[in-house]
Amino acid sequence: MWLIVWLVVGAALVAAEIFTTTFILLMFGLGAFAAAGAAALGAGVPVQAAVFAAVSALSFLAVRPTLRRYMYRDARDTPMGVEALEGSMALVIEAVDHDSGQIKIEGELWRARPYDATQTFAVGDRVRVIEIKGATAMVWKD
């Protein structure tokens, strides 16, 4: 009988998790399924309760933080657009000075200016993209 009770409780908790998305009920559901496994093996009710508590607690400590990190990644974790180019290396295609210049970043040609206006870069130099201003890459030589 306890096997069926634990299975129903586990299924209800997992189903309720769909509406909360906090990963709290899911951890209790995992504990209920583990307790159902203990009941299937013939363990007594105190052992089933201990298995439920232990698996639920371990799930909170081990599984929940990983799930939350994966599900609630901050948009700042993944740079998009021109922000993704900042910090990347580029190849100087046309000499870069304070008036003109062109670089290749990941296969794309960009206008470039030195981040420090007193610097110049020759064709073939490797530079780092510090910032993108409009359609111009501000570069620096490491």
Side-chain angles (χ1 to χ4, degrees):
M1 176 181 112
W2 279 104
L3 171 65
I4 294 171
V5 170
W6 286 117
L7 288 175
V8 169
V9 167
L13 288 168
V14 170
E17 177 62 41
I18 294 169
F19 300 105
T20 64
T21 67
T22 60
F23 299 118
I24 293 173
L25 297 177
L26 180 64
M27 302 304 116
F28 284 123
L30 292 175
F33 288 134
L41 294 174
V45 174
V47 173
Q48 294 172 27
V51 168
F52 171 76
V55 170
S56 296
L58 288 174
S59 296
F60 272 106
L61 296 174
V63 177
R64 187 171 183 257
T66 304
L67 285 175
R68 287 186 58 81
R69 219 177 4 259
Y70 176 75
M71 294 298 291
Y72 298 112
R73 288 184 297 226
D74 193 347
R76 293 172 287 182
D77 292 345
T78 307
M80 302 293 284
V82 295
E83 290 176 356
L85 297 175
E86 293 176 356
S88 62
M89 295 302 290
L91 177 66
V92 176
I93 301 298
E94 176 185 307
V96 176
D97 59 27
H98 70 282
D99 289 325
S100 64
Q102 192 172 41
I103 60 172
K104 185 183 279 190
I105 309 170
E106 297 179 12
E108 294 182 1
L109 297 178
W110 282 76
R111 284 188 300 160
R113 301 292 176 272
Y115 191 72
D116 176 1
T118 62
Q119 290 184 323
T120 60
F121 307 112
V123 173
D125 284 350
R126 291 261 179 214
V127 292
R128 182 168 307 278
V129 178
I130 302 297
E131 180 181 12
I132 303 288
K133 286 187 177 179
T136 303
M138 305 303 289
V139 296
W140 182 272
K141 188 166 184 174
D142 285 335

